[in-house]
Each structure stands twice: as C-alpha cells, then as structure tokens.
Amino acid sequence: MKRLGALALAAMTASAQVTFDRLLNAAKEPGQWMTYSGAYNGWRHSPLDQIRRENVSSLQVKWVYQMPTTHLVETTPLVVDGIMYFTEPPSNVVAVDAETGRQFWRYRRELPSKINVCCGQVNRGVAVLGDRVFVGTVDAHLVALDRRTGDVLWDVEVANYRHGYSVTVAPLIVKDMVISGIAGGEYGIRGFLDAYDAATGKRRWRFWTIPGPGEKGNETWSGESWKTGGGSTWVTGSYDPSQNAIVWGVGNPSPDWNGDSRLGDNLYSDSAIALDADTGKLKWHFQFVPHDVHDWDAVQVPVLVDDEFQGRRRKLVYWAHRNGFYYVLDRETGKFLAGKAFATQTWAKGLDPNGRPIRLPNIDPSPEGTYIFPGVQGATNWYSPSYSPVTKLFYLSTWENRSVYRKGEQEYTPGNRYIGSVPLIDLPDDPGWGAIRALNPKTGDRVWEYKLHTKPWSGVLSTAGNLVFGGSDEGHIFALDAATGKEMWRRNVGGIIRSNAISYMSKGKQVVAMAAGSSIFTFELAGR
Amino acid sequence: MRLLAPLAFAALLQAQEAKNPATSTADVAAGAKTFRSHCSECHGFEAQGGRGPNLASGVFYHGSSDAELLRNISDGIAGTEMPGLFYSPDRVWQVVSYLRSLNARAAPAGDPAKGAAIYGAKGCAKCHRIDGSGGRLGPDLSQIGRARSAEHIRQAIATPNADVRQRYWFVSATGPEGKPVSGFLMNEDTYTVQFMDLGEQLHSMNKSDLRGYQVEMKSRMPPFPMPAADLDNLTAYLVSLRPKGGSK
C-alpha cells in the first residue's frame, strides 16, 4: 500500500504527459486509469489493494459530480496525474480535479438538431495522449482537445451523420494513433475501424468491417447487400503489443432481424477481428454468429491473457458474447479453443469443433413472433467484463431473459432505420432477471453468481483487494467478494447505472469511481 | 446553419396550410408499411402504444392537425425520444393517412352519458378515481381515453386478468413475526419491496426479513359481466375521458 502510493506520486511528478510508453506499462502505475479498460489487455482490473474485503464496509462517498443532462450516462472516466476526464452525453467532455471533483473545464459540443442514433445519444469516454484528450461525437466527428483547457485542436468528420453514422465509443490510443470505431448498425451503415494521426487528425488507415467487391469475405454477402451491411464497432477494443495487433469486436449485420436480403455468413459482422496496428490489415477473424438475425453484436471488450491452456503456454482471448456463449480463442490465429453457454440460451444445440453454433430449428424471427433466449439485448452486452490475475476468474454482468423476435418489412433509405422488424424486446409479464457471474475462464464453468432482481446494464471492475465492483439498474453500487460472490458492501445512489467502474489513487488513498444516474460517484475508505 | 433557420420556418408556415395530398387506400397501405418498419418498434404494431404513446386515439398532445403530424413525424420531437423520419413529405403524408385510418376506426359505438350512469351504478368509483374523486386501489381513470384504445378498455372491464400492468401485480408476504401482509406491488428491487395494502397503507420491507414472498400477476378487479350495449356505453364514457383543452 505505502509502496503503491509512493509509486503513484512519483509518476505524477516525473511525467506530466501521457506517452505510449506509459500506456504500454500501465500496470506499473496502478494509481492512474489511463485507458478505457485500465490497460491494453482489456482486464478492467485495478492492482490497488487499499480497499479490501476486510475493510470495504467503511467505504463512503468522497465526492459527486452532477451533470446537467437528461441523456443516459455510459462514460468510463480516465484519471491521469490527478485529473479526471469523462464525457457528458451527448458529446461533451469534462475535466475535474480527481481529489475534489471540482471542474477545470468543460467542452460543449454543438450538435445539429437531427441526430439518428438507435439507442440514445450516449458516449462511453475519452482517450488521452500527450497533451491531448480525444472524443468521438454523435454527429460522427473525432475531436482533439487541449488537455489543460479543453480548446479544440482539430475536428475531423469520421462519416456522414445524416446517413445514420455516429461515434459513441471511447477511442483507443495505439502508438501515435487514435483508433475509433463507428455506430449505426440499425441504419444500414457500412462499418469500419479507423486510425487517425493524433497530431494532425489525418486518417492513417481504415479497415472496412464489411468487405467490398474483390476483397476476401465479400462473397459472404448476396447481391449488393454489403453496401448496407452494418458491422459497427462501437465498443473499445484491446491491443496486443507482442503481436502489434488491435483486437476489436464487430456489431450486427443490417438489417438486424430480417436476413433475406443478405444471404451468406455476412463477414465480418458479429466477429472478433485482429488488425495489424500499423497498416490496419486483417490478421485473423473469428465469427461468433454467422448470418445473425437476432442482433447479437460482438461488442464486448476482448480480454487478452497469456496462460497455460491444455498443457501449453498460449496467447488467449477470453470472450463472453451477447449470444449467450463464452469463448476461448487463440490470439495468434483466431482459432476456437473452447466454448460454453454462460446463460440460458434456446437457439443452439452447442458449438461445433470450429466454434460455429449448431443452430436449432425454428429459431429465426417470424411474422407471428419467435420466443428465444437470450433476448435482443443479449445475455451480456457492451458493458465491460473483468479478469483478475489474483483469482484467475472472469467476471461479467449477465441477463436471463428472452424476447419475441418478429420478422417484418425492410427497405433501405439513407439515414432511416434499417432493421427489418419490430421485436418485443422486453416482455411485460416476464421481465427476466440478472446476475453478476464468475467463470473459470479456461472452461466457461460457473464458479459463483450474485443474483439481481433486474437486468444490469453496467460492467464490473475487479481489484487486488479481492473485490468485484458492479452496479444495477436499481441504482445500487456494490462490492462482492471476488472469490465467493458474497456481497461485502452496497450503497443506493438512486439512479440507474449504465457504466463501468474504475479505481485510482488520490492523496494516498484508493478511490473507486462510477457513473450512476447523471452523476459521477467516487468512494474511499472512511478516516485518514 | 444560420441560413437554414429562416428557410425551415418558411417551409413550416407552408406546411401549416397544407392539406394531406396522399389519402387513397393505396396511400394508407403504403403508410402502414412504413409505420411497421420504422415506428412500431416504439408505438406498437397497430399504433396501440408501447415505449411511445398510443397513436390510434385521434388525440395528440403535440398537435392533432395534419400539418402538426407531418412536422412531428418528419422532424421528431425535440427533447423527447421521438426521432425524426428523414423521408420526403409525400411519404410522411402516407403515414399520416395511416394514422387517420386508425383514428376513424377507434370511435366507439356507445353513449357516454349512459355509460357514466353505469359507472356510478356498478360501484367502479370504489376503486377508481376520476378527476379527484374515488378510491385508490385501481388506476386513476381521469385521462384513460388518451392513453388507451377502446378495445383495451372493453377488455379491461370484461376480462381484467387479460392484461395486468406491473403496478397492479399482487404481493403476498409473511412478515418477520409470521404475520401475513399483502397488497399492490409499487416497486421492487433486489433487496426490498414497496407495496400498498387493501386498506391503502404503504409498506416498504427488506426481502431478507420476510418468511414468505410471492408476486401474482392477477388482477384484483372482479370481472363485470354485462349486456353488450351497456359495455359499449361504459366504454364510450371512459374513451371520452381526456385532458381538457391543451391539445387540439
């Protein structure tokens, strides 16, 4: 503990700027939270252990920052050298003193009056490099701000928002580039992942998640359907320095619930992709759901772990997918190694040796409606999972719920919804329930579960204090014993939680921060 | 941007004068198709309402004239979840025609004045309030005509169990001392439950303190069998209960 405090302080005085080197070595600065998932490996794990199972019962509010917004707050804050940066929906950025919550500056994004985003004008956070803060906007721009003042340094158009493109994802810094995804899978976009020069905003490369004519994978789209094939990239991926590979999840094919116009596997929708960070060229892919007609995006944070697997040391990816199955992939090849359902699912008999789902009959949307587990929002979704190197467990928020999948009309017009149906997402008489679950990441076997009356839309954070922090739609933030799932602490903060927690050090004390309702809440142990 | 604002305003003025040019049967069918793919997600397959309001009643908060419907559907409603439909006006007019066709169908057959008398005679006010008078055990019906279709109201009276909202699910619990308590579910989370008992007392309890706990999705409203003409009149009365003034 003492040691950690000293380390954090050293970092603060030694370097006032975030360098790629610091991001690579995030584990050496546990007092900071410098990227969306805390480190490139996507673990959302804090090595801090001042707040522990034994003392967490005295956790209390440190400060609260209330945002003047009526939009849903999905932001993950970053904390660098004593300053916290977070987004305020739709596309504003705020910098505050991480010790007091008092504001330094606020960037307010002027937006056009008509914005078409499927599911609320949200944003999941910023990225920081050098003296800059980067944010994507719902009118599909990427903006670089001065870290000290919030002044705009550059502002580039990523895509045309009038055609249903928007940016809600927190960017990821790799080397001197800002990696940004795109949203719009309900508007018939053609998805991509982009890299921009952090200094100038000039685009370095673009990887189309839906291959065009002449490119490999285009044959998995009938006719012209690739042009409006979806394949959004709206959740921040991970980076593997050992292979210089960006690993990222790709969203649903468009239209979501009627696949008649897009026969074929529809690559690289619903896939994990690994790209060469310098060129944006595809190294490998793994498709979780070929020809998806249920809207089961692969929009989860890839969890990168090096460990023994079936007798030999391997580079792995752990992935709990929206479709209800948990997967282990080989990070060098994308090859499927193991998989198992982690929640109730009624659409597949299982996975074949290549990890392809063995579909059951009569599972597709139909005009009269088809009841399927998991529901449209999946058995998990965009909110982050966590991996703890202490317990070697994989943690996630899950849903036990079903939807009625209906098949309907579809017609593409730019900027309008292109979804091909009207599913009944939540059944009024059967609202379902949720849980925080711990899995053995090698097998997918469940180790424990913490049940919730409602379905949680917030991620989990594990810490070296042997705790797992999470939140619920009911407005509770809680800390669970990482080994057993037993509840150790809980506060009702009174607003639905749609975000991921982080942890950092401030003035020698460990802080846990999480957005709830329209506020950022921070907690620390009572006393000095 | 600056330049656009006066232009848009001019277009709006024009639209206010406008009459719907797309009212043929084919237009209504085309409007229904657009509605199913772009609107029913929120407003329901038959415009009966869901996440968005019922659009089949003929009365709209944000304006009931053709021009106002054209504007609200084209541009969306600022500050609400209602998104804009970036379609040309001729396509939006077809959607307006489709909504109008539903409104025509929605008009109930009965006589509201006779229905009001039946409401009094059957003792509905024991559980329901209208404009501030009546009981609290059932939903306030002062504006039921705005929120619900005639079909839904008819069904609610004849077969109350058919569709019971969560707020009226029924809690039966056994307290710490073995005392049974029951009432209408008002709220519930992982750890606690809030409900109102049949004596209109409010309770909030920790689930971990309870010995037994059960929630039933059955209605506490008894069915009221009655001749079809009476049911028509009663329905017509309830359909007539809408906010006064305000909307056009």
Side-chain angles (χ1 to χ4, degrees):
Chain A
M1 221 297 297
K2 281 247 172 65
R3 207 173 51 84
L4 285 184
L7 257 177
L9 195 71
M12 190 164 160
T13 44
S15 63
Q17 295 222 335
V18 179
T19 58
F20 177 53
D21 207 50
R22 280 181 80 187
L23 298 182
L24 279 174
N25 295 296
K28 293 190 188 142
E29 294 185 59
Q32 319 274 348
W33 194 275
M34 296 187 286
T35 58
Y36 183 72
S37 298
Y40 277 139
N41 54 25
W43 291 2
R44 197 167 288 276
H45 172 81
S46 170
L48 299 175
D49 64 355
Q50 189 180 81
I51 302 169
R52 320 174 52 79
R53 264 189 305 221
E54 296 72 27
N55 60 18
V56 65
S57 62
S58 79
L59 208 59
Q60 62 180 25
V61 171
K62 180 180 177 68
W63 54 258
V64 180
Y65 182 95
Q66 299 204 10
M67 306 183 194
T69 181
T70 52
H71 296 282
L72 281 171
V73 177
E74 296 188 352
T75 193
T76 287
L78 300 188
V79 176
V80 183
D81 302 334
I83 301 179
M84 178 186 283
Y85 306 91
F86 52 84
T87 56
E88 172 190 280
S91 305
N92 304 334
V93 181
V94 182
V96 303
D97 175 3
E99 171 65 15
T100 61
R102 298 305 297 171
Q103 181 179 314
F104 288 114
W105 53 259
R106 179 157 172 268
Y107 163 70
R108 194 173 156 273
R109 175 81 182 169
E110 295 285 348
L111 291 167
S113 59
K114 286 190 203 174
I115 300 269
N116 272 346
V117 286
C118 78
C119 319
Q121 298 194 12
V122 299
N123 184 287
R124 299 188 191 83
V126 297
V128 180
L129 179 71
D131 55 4
R132 283 152 192 234
V133 179
F134 304 91
V135 64
T137 67
V138 288
D139 57 340
H141 280 233
L142 187 65
V143 182
L145 304 173
D146 185 291
R147 196 172 68 79
R148 291 185 185 81
T149 62
D151 292 342
V152 176
L153 300 175
W154 51 255
D155 176 340
V156 298
E157 185 188 56
V158 172
N160 184 349
Y161 77 89
R162 289 179 192 83
H163 291 182
Y165 290 82
S166 56
V167 182
T168 58
V169 63
L172 183 71
I173 300 299
V174 175
K175 300 185 172 173
D176 60 345
M177 295 176 291
V178 188
I179 312 297
S180 174
I182 193 77
E186 276 64 51
Y187 292 88
I189 63 160
R190 182 182 174 208
F192 51 79
L193 192 67
D194 277 353
Y196 294 86
D197 185 320
T200 63
K202 206 167 158 275
R203 198 163 84 206
R204 292 270 184 83
W205 50 255
R206 166 168 288 181
F207 173 78
W208 291 103
T209 56
I210 312 292
E215 289 174 315
K216 199 165 153 279
N218 182 260
E219 72 285 355
T220 64
W221 296 87
S222 59
E224 302 277 276
S225 59
W226 61 274
K227 287 185 177 167
T228 51
S232 50
T233 45
W234 51 277
V235 170
T236 310
S238 305
Y239 174 65
D240 174 3
S242 75
Q243 301 187 86
N244 192 33
I246 293 168
V247 185
W248 209 281
V250 182
N252 63 279
S254 299
D256 305 39
W257 297 288
N258 183 340
D260 293 353
S261 62
R262 50 170 175 86
L263 302 179
D265 276 0
N266 305 145
L267 291 172
Y268 299 96
S269 69
D270 290 6
S271 302
I273 54 171
L275 306 182
D276 181 288
D278 295 328
T279 63
K281 293 269 179 317
L282 186 70
K283 282 174 179 277
W284 54 256
H285 79 276
F286 175 82
Q287 190 175 38
F288 299 96
V289 192
H291 191 74
D292 174 22
V293 285
H294 295 95
D295 189 18
W296 291 332
D297 314 54
V299 288
Q300 292 79 37
V301 175
V303 174
L304 315 184
V305 175
D306 293 351
D307 207 346
E308 292 284 318
F309 190 84
Q310 292 171 353
R312 90 178 161 85
R313 192 132 186 107
R314 271 184 124 129
K315 294 182 195 294
L316 305 166
V317 187
Y318 296 154
W319 201 302
H321 189 265
R322 190 159 161 178
N323 70 12
F325 284 89
Y326 169 82
Y327 298 78
V328 185
L329 306 178
D330 182 311
R331 203 161 77 241
E332 286 168 318
T333 61
K335 206 173 143 295
F336 169 79
L337 298 177
K340 184 177 181 167
F342 64 87
T344 306
Q345 63 82 21
T346 58
W347 67 282
K349 214 174 120 209
L351 303 175
D352 79 7
N354 295 317
R356 221 179 144 91
I358 306 162
R359 285 179 154 92
L360 291 164
N362 307 321
I363 59 157
D364 285 357
S366 54
E368 62 283 359
T370 310
Y371 286 83
I372 294 286
F373 282 90
V376 170
Q377 302 294 6
T380 192
N381 205 313
W382 60 266
Y383 34 83
S384 294
S386 176
Y387 173 75
S388 166
V390 182
T391 58
K392 292 206 158 197
L393 295 177
F394 181 95
Y395 304 98
L396 80 167
S397 297
T398 56
W399 289 22
E400 289 289 339
N401 122 292
R402 60 182 183 154
S403 290
V404 182
Y405 291 89
R406 295 202 196 104
K407 183 170 176 178
E409 312 273 354
Q410 61 187 356
E411 177 191 12
Y412 176 76
T413 45
N416 285 298
R417 284 182 183 242
Y418 185 49
I419 53 181
S421 133
V422 193
L424 190 55
I425 296 182
D426 279 310
L427 312 187
D429 292 347
D430 185 6
W433 53 279
I436 309 298
R437 285 182 180 151
L439 308 182
N440 173 340
K442 307 266 177 76
T443 60
D445 291 336
R446 189 184 307 169
V447 177
W448 55 252
E449 136 177 298
Y450 174 74
K451 275 194 180 164
L452 292 166
H453 177 68
T454 54
K455 299 163 294 195
W457 275 102
S458 57
V460 284
L461 163 79
S462 67
T463 71
N466 258 310
L467 292 168
V468 172
F469 288 87
S472 70
D473 258 35
E474 304 157 16
H476 296 96
I477 297 180
F478 44 76
L480 311 177
D481 181 330
T484 64
K486 188 166 176 270
E487 181 186 297
M488 306 306 288
W489 170 88
R490 171 177 105 224
R491 279 296 169 281
N492 180 1
V493 295
I496 58 169
I497 305 172
R498 302 251 162 131
S499 63
N500 301 306
I502 65 158
S503 190
Y504 63 95
M505 289 295 279
S506 186
K507 298 247 152 85
K509 292 187 82 173
Q510 183 184 354
V511 184
V512 172
M514 191 172 205
S518 50
S519 304
I520 305 281
F521 285 84
T522 58
F523 301 91
E524 64 184 8
L525 295 176
R528 262 280 106 182
Chain B
M1 259 310 285
R2 281 257 163 76
L3 199 94
L4 273 179
L7 266 178
F9 186 63
L12 191 77
L13 277 181
Q14 254 169 24
Q16 256 163 14
E17 315 299 320
K19 273 251 159 310
N20 189 344
T23 54
S24 70
T25 326
D27 287 323
V28 171
K33 210 172 136 184
T34 308
F35 189 88
R36 299 226 160 100
S37 53
H38 293 293
C39 322
S40 48
E41 177 194 4
C42 295
H43 291 287
F45 223 59
E46 303 286 336
Q48 76 277 20
R51 211 173 117 201
N54 179 353
L55 301 176
S57 71
V59 180
F60 300 91
Y61 262 158
H62 297 277
S64 302
S65 74
D66 280 1
E68 285 164 323
L69 284 174
L70 180 75
R71 182 199 60 207
N72 290 341
I73 299 170
S74 301
D75 297 356
I77 300 172
T80 79
E81 279 180 62
M82 169 64 193
L85 179 73
F86 283 69
Y87 271 3
S88 60
D90 48 322
R91 299 286 304 279
V92 180
W93 278 127
Q94 294 176 328
V95 179
V96 173
S97 290
Y98 165 66
L99 293 180
R100 293 291 186 218
S101 76
L102 300 174
N103 302 160
R105 218 194 296 150
D111 176 347
K114 285 188 185 144
I118 298 169
Y119 184 89
K122 295 274 184 189
C124 310
K126 187 171 143 276
C127 301
H128 292 288
R129 250 166 318 149
I130 293 176
D131 295 337
S133 64
R136 289 182 190 81
L137 291 183
D140 189 314
L141 300 180
S142 308
Q143 304 193 352
I144 182 89
R146 188 199 93 220
R148 308 272 185 229
S149 65
E151 227 11 81
H152 175 99
I153 292 174
R154 193 185 298 271
Q155 185 193 50
I157 301 168
T159 46
N161 273 332
D163 181 14
V164 183
R165 270 186 296 153
Q166 192 170 9
R167 165 66 177 75
Y168 294 96
W169 293 0
F170 204 70
V171 176
S172 308
T174 312
E177 283 94 43
K179 206 177 123 216
V181 274
S182 60
F184 293 107
L185 182 65
M186 299 179 87
N187 195 13
E188 179 180 16
D189 67 12
T190 302
Y191 321 100
T192 68
V193 58
Q194 290 72 37
F195 60 94
M196 181 170 77
D197 69 22
L198 295 178
E200 299 188 349
Q201 293 300 310
L202 300 181
H203 299 264
S204 179
M205 300 184 151
N206 286 324
K207 288 183 184 175
S208 59
D209 294 341
L210 299 174
R211 287 201 208 156
Y213 178 67
Q214 189 195 339
V215 178
E216 270 189 306
M217 299 180 196
K218 290 216 184 95
S219 177
R220 300 300 287 189
M221 172 164 153
F224 285 88
M226 60 183 85
D230 286 1
L231 189 55
D232 280 350
N233 293 335
L234 188 50
T235 302
Y237 168 60
L238 293 177
V239 165
S240 76
L241 300 176
R242 296 182 168 188
K244 324 251 173 317
S247 58
K248 290 146 246 182

